[in-house]
Amino acid sequence: MSTSGSPIERGRSMAAAALIGVALMAAVDEIVFHQLLGWHHFFDRSTPAVGLLSDGLLHTAELLGLVAGFVLWADLRRRGTLSAAHAWAGLLLGAGGFQLFDGLVNHKVLRLHQIRYVPDLLLYDLAWNGAALALLAAGAVLAVRARRRPGGRTGTEAGR
């Protein structure tokens, strides 16, 4: 139970933070690899203008995901039902899930783009997908620890 007397919402806490994690990792990808480094666009199988448009659509989706995730998170916190431990696990699981989906599905299956256009992609693929697996592993460890924690702690309690 939370301090408000309402039950802690572990699943919603994890889901809200996972949405934030997906959006944050999409933002890192879009800002660092698409804009700053200019290694690729979200969709590279057409003209540069279409690639730029696809980056704008990705950016729009990532911002909507951030807003929606933080609205859900704020609602849980306002009601005193946020499980901070589950939220941290969800954040890492969401970030790692996005990274792995992008690395496997977008890069390899759909071939929307590659990490970088170089003759040998193996090191880039290993680093990209390895980072995703590390985030997923860390999120899984936190999820198991959060599940074992009796009652959990709310975001309000965790901040005290």
Side-chain angles (χ1 to χ4, degrees):
M1 288 290 210
S2 71
T3 56
S4 67
S6 301
I8 298 296
E9 296 187 48
R10 296 177 174 128
R12 285 193 69 210
S13 296
M14 190 176 286
L19 180 56
I20 294 168
V22 166
L24 281 176
M25 191 53 71
V28 168
D29 179 24
E30 198 264 329
I31 292 166
V32 174
F33 297 99
H34 299 208
Q35 292 179 22
L36 296 176
L37 296 174
W39 284 2
H40 62 262
H41 294 292
F42 180 74
F43 185 71
D44 272 341
R45 299 182 72 177
S46 186
T47 66
V50 170
L52 191 58
L53 172 65
S54 70
D55 285 348
L57 294 173
L58 174 62
H59 189 63
T60 301
E62 122 215 340
L63 287 174
L64 290 172
L66 280 172
V67 168
F70 275 113
V71 165
L72 294 170
W73 179 83
D75 179 57
L76 288 163
R77 187 164 165 95
R78 178 188 58 78
R79 292 186 293 116
T81 60
L82 176 70
S83 168
H86 287 82
W88 279 111
L91 182 77
L92 294 178
L93 290 170
F98 172 85
Q99 184 89 355
L100 191 61
F101 180 87
D102 188 43
L104 296 179
V105 176
N106 291 338
H107 297 177
K108 300 303 170 197
V109 175
L110 299 177
R111 299 179 113 13
L112 296 177
H113 61 264
Q114 292 300 322
I115 298 168
R116 189 169 187 194
Y117 292 95
V118 294
D120 187 12
L121 285 170
L122 182 61
L123 290 177
Y124 289 96
D125 288 336
L126 290 174
W128 193 268
N129 294 319
L133 292 173
L135 286 167
L136 286 169
V141 167
L142 290 180
V144 168
R145 286 184 183 170
R147 185 173 183 170
R148 290 181 182 162
R149 184 179 287 180
R153 291 175 60 188
T154 67
T156 307
E157 293 169 325
R160 290 186 192 164

